[in-house]
DNA sequence: CTGAAAGCGCTTACAG
DNA sequence: CTGAAAGCGCTTACAG
């Protein structure tokens, strides 16, 4: 029976070291009150037997799994995979592991988190959850009721009653707008977005405020955040009677779509039209022309979220909620021209 | 004491449904031999009490965690995050969760898997491991000894004694070479790669064989897989006395680096020089010109790996090892010109 | 500084 | 079809 390997337990170690299994526990958990001699003996025995602590057993008894769950729409988009990356790095440092799960199944466009998803995770006794997905108000209430340590990242919760870490879209777009105005642009169009989303309202508000402050007329056109949306909007802009010297994409991919379509119509970026993106995905760096954009503060978002989650885990009874709004940095590149 | 919520257990459900906790277990685990009436009563009780099965307890007793670990170099590269995405989707379908972990810590260039990493995972009783990282021969032997269900993906193990799923680099590059030759190219340079890596040897072999088969002279130049490597190689090629009409990048990012540098030197792609990439990252689709490349078969790699892992988990005593080599599809786009 | 006892919430193995 | 007992490998709470 090749797979029937004997499992080494604390008891085996205890026997070899000639102590009780409690002493082994104390040594392994780094508790202070063990004599140096005993400690050494135990450690040696562990080594000799190649003892491996069973975290599942420890988790059952102590109700601490040292695991956190992360739910994001998909691993395939750069922003999400970068967030996940920083979260995991940080969790690793704190000796937590992450259970990563994607919201979207390939066959369905379900964008909202379902309770069963949370339930599966709670069955596994995760110590906390980081959430980057859309919540119905009912879900939010249920989550609050359950009082599991939880932080929303990159998205507002509908009732604003959960800990939340988001980018400052408003000032991000306001800074981008200011950059264009400083470069002499007056007719600047905001392209894309999805009505009803808080992130979009904030973005639009940042743009509009800056335009109005400078006596300019804000114009928003089209919807969406994808490459294809950018293509479609470019078509509209070219065939409609818009007059503009610059277009601000709601995302980097909208910007890329805009630029490629403009070029297909013989319009060069930035010599004929200036274009900006939003997010700071790697394509903005490698694209030709390199695209001026605002960098999502991935590192800070993720670190803040993990920190807050750890705080919640350590203080389950604290009730006050936090919302952190992380500044966004403009990255000046080649897709904007000085008029 | 707000956080001292009573935990509902099988025993509570049993009491309410007026059965033993074993019967509750049977119902919850979908075992057949329970009368319909009892089953209904139990299910109702579960519902009423909002009972949640404790998977940690179940895992401790049954030694099955229904969790698999995935170790990849980083979540930040497209190939890896796509692999992770498909693996997770597939695991989800089979009711497994994934513990995702990155090999590289930000502060160290450690590319090799350490034993402690595996050990942490085994402490958590994961049912299996999918590995996309470099292994020393010692690590491979130790892993084989431990006999935990394990599959290598996207990389060969040094001793070839582990289950492995990789792309067919050889025929991928051979097909790419054939495409260029069919388009009239004779002086084709292979750019980049890292000596000593099996994936690189295979790639190079595919290219060389195809060149020789057509009476052409293979020339390999430069090393690496990054954008910057592509830039550096482009400089070499321009300033050296190479004569060539096409360059095959070892990766998509090498191709992008080559193209941008060529363009900075006034050489247009594809009118002056043809360039190909490898991997099928999204940038090849959005770049201008869109880049001809060979698509890593992400879906098949991941599905095959998960399938094989599930097989290993179900049959821990089967000893024979498998190596799957998944075909790679050429994607013809605009960066290759017909001479 | 050390240990004996109880228990976390399940599943296993057996009995009826 | 149903149940009583034991045990998975730890931690908790208490005693000395």
């Amino acid at each position: 029976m090749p797979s029937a390997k004997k499992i080494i337990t604390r008891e085996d170690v205890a026997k070899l070291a000639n102590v009780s299994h409690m002493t082994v526990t104390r040594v392994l958990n780094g508790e202070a009150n063990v004599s140096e001699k005993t400690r050494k003996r135990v450690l040696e025995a562990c080594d000799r037997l190649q003892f491996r602590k069973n975290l599942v057993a420890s988790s059952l008894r102590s109700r601490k799994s040292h695991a956190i769950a992360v739910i994001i729409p998909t691993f395939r988009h750069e922003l999400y995979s970068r967030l996940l990356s920083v979260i995991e790095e940080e969790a690793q440092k704190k000796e937590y592991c992450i259970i990563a799960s994607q919201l979207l199944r390939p066959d369905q466009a379900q964008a909202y988190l379902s309770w069963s998803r949370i339930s599966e995770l709670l069955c596994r006794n995760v110590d906390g959850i980081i959430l980057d997905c859309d919540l119905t108000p009912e879900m939010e209430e249920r989550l609050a009721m359950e009082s599991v340590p939880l932080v929303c990242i990159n998205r507002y919760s509908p009732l604003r009653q959960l800990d939340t870490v988001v980018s400052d879209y408003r000032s991000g777009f306001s800074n981008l707008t200011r950059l264009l105005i400083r470069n002499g642009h007056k007719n600047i169009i905001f392209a894309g977005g999805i009505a009803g989303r808080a992130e979009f309202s904030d973005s639009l508000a940042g743009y509009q405020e800056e335009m109005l402050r400078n006596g300019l007329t804000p114009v928003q056109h089209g919807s969406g955040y994808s490459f294809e949306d950018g293509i479609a909007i470019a078509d509209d802009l070219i065939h409609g009677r818009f007059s503009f010297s610059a277009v601000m994409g709601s995302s980097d991919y909208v910007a890329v779509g805009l630029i490629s379509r403009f070029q297909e119509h013989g319009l060069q970026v930035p010599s004929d039209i200036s274009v900006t993106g939003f997010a700071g995905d790697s394509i903005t760096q490698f694209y030709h022309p390199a695209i001026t954009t605002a960098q999502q503060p991935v590192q800070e978002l993720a670190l803040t979220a993990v920190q807050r989650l750890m705080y919640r885990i350590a203080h389950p009874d604290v009730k006050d909620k936090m919302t952190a709004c992380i500044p966004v940095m403009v990255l000046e590149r080649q897709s904007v021209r000085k008029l």
Side-chain angles (χ1 to χ4, degrees), chain A:
Chain A
M1 352 168 236
S3 70
K5 297 218 310 189
K6 166 111 178 65
I7 286 167
I8 309 298
T9 134
R10 248 164 182 59
E11 209 60 62
D12 302 310
V13 176
K15 219 170 285 169
L16 184 61
N18 220 338
V19 292
S20 78
H21 72 148
M22 260 319 292
T23 303
V24 178
T25 294
R26 291 205 178 86
V27 172
L28 260 43
N29 293 355
E31 287 170 41
N33 42 359
V34 181
S35 78
E36 202 42 52
K37 231 174 64 187
T38 315
R39 175 188 308 279
K40 262 180 86 171
R41 210 150 20 97
V42 169
L43 255 20
E44 258 178 46
C46 285
D47 223 57
R48 189 110 67 83
L49 295 175
Q50 300 219 48
F51 169 73
R52 198 153 44 215
K53 176 173 173 177
N54 184 330
L55 284 184
V56 172
S58 131
S59 169
L60 174 60
R61 191 62 180 88
S62 69
R63 302 184 186 291
K64 289 273 157 235
S65 60
H66 259 247
I68 64 182
V70 182
I71 311 182
I72 54 185
T74 170
F75 302 156
R76 297 173 125 104
H77 287 0
E78 201 173 323
L79 174 61
Y80 300 136
S81 60
R82 284 161 75 190
L83 283 170
L84 188 64
S85 175
V86 182
I87 291 170
E88 197 274 336
E89 275 170 16
E90 201 55 21
Q92 221 181 95
K93 279 185 204 155
K94 303 193 190 309
E95 309 212 277
Y96 276 74
C97 78
I98 70 164
I99 296 184
S101 99
Q102 300 173 100
L103 191 57
L104 289 171
R105 312 226 173 169
D107 49 329
Q108 48 193 92
Q110 166 205 3
Y112 281 88
L113 181 68
S114 67
W115 182 256
S116 68
R117 212 49 175 290
I118 295 290
S119 198
E120 289 164 16
L121 261 12
L122 295 179
C123 285
R124 289 178 186 276
N125 275 11
V126 296
D127 292 339
I129 304 180
I130 293 180
L131 226 50
D132 181 357
C133 34
D134 292 330
L135 258 37
T136 61
E138 296 73 41
M139 267 298 282
E140 179 168 354
E141 269 171 357
R142 201 157 171 190
L143 285 167
M145 289 272 302
E146 195 71 37
S147 78
V148 52
L150 182 148
V151 176
C152 294
I153 191 170
N154 196 37
R155 244 169 255 251
Y156 286 104
S157 68
L159 309 173
R160 312 296 157 98
Q161 275 163 18
L162 300 172
D163 281 329
T164 300
V165 185
V166 288
S167 313
D168 190 346
Y169 287 88
R170 187 189 205 113
S171 82
F173 273 91
S174 139
N175 291 341
L176 235 25
T177 309
R178 199 172 316 128
L179 172 72
L180 287 168
I181 295 175
R182 232 190 290 123
N183 276 284
H185 294 272
K186 293 190 184 333
N187 296 309
I188 306 170
I189 292 180
F190 185 109
I194 291 182
R197 297 198 61 86
E199 298 77 15
F200 173 58
S201 324
D202 283 2
S203 306
L204 194 58
Y207 157 75
Q208 289 172 329
E209 286 163 9
E210 198 61 36
M211 290 294 277
L212 296 172
R213 189 175 305 139
N214 286 274
L216 303 175
T217 312
V219 179
Q220 191 276 337
H221 187 80
S223 73
Y225 285 99
S226 72
F227 177 77
E228 288 75 19
D229 296 325
I231 297 272
I233 296 172
D235 281 338
D236 283 0
L237 294 180
I238 289 166
H239 298 119
R241 37 176 163 240
F242 296 92
S243 106
F244 57 96
S245 67
V247 187
M248 302 178 60
S250 58
S251 78
D252 289 335
Y253 279 89
V254 167
V256 172
L258 288 166
I259 297 176
S260 23
R261 197 53 145 214
F262 285 152
Q263 290 185 333
E264 285 172 31
H265 283 274
L267 295 165
Q268 293 307 309
V269 173
S271 45
D272 299 317
I273 303 177
S274 293
V275 172
T276 62
F278 189 91
D281 276 4
S282 61
I283 195 165
T284 60
Q285 177 183 356
F286 298 126
Y287 203 73
H288 191 85
I291 299 170
T292 293
T293 187
Q295 176 78 58
Q296 285 266 22
V298 175
Q299 189 85 13
E300 293 86 341
L301 286 169
L303 292 186
T304 311
V306 172
Q307 240 161 50
R308 183 64 182 180
L309 190 65
M310 292 299 160
Y311 177 80
R312 279 254 165 262
I313 292 172
H315 308 277
D317 295 341
V318 174
K319 284 286 169 244
D320 58 299
K321 297 298 169 182
M322 173 211 74
T323 297
C325 197
I326 315 284
V328 164
M329 229 180 53
V330 168
L331 257 34
E332 281 200 58
R333 297 211 267 239
Q334 280 103 55
S335 64
V336 169
R337 179 187 162 213
K338 197 165 183 69
L339 291 188

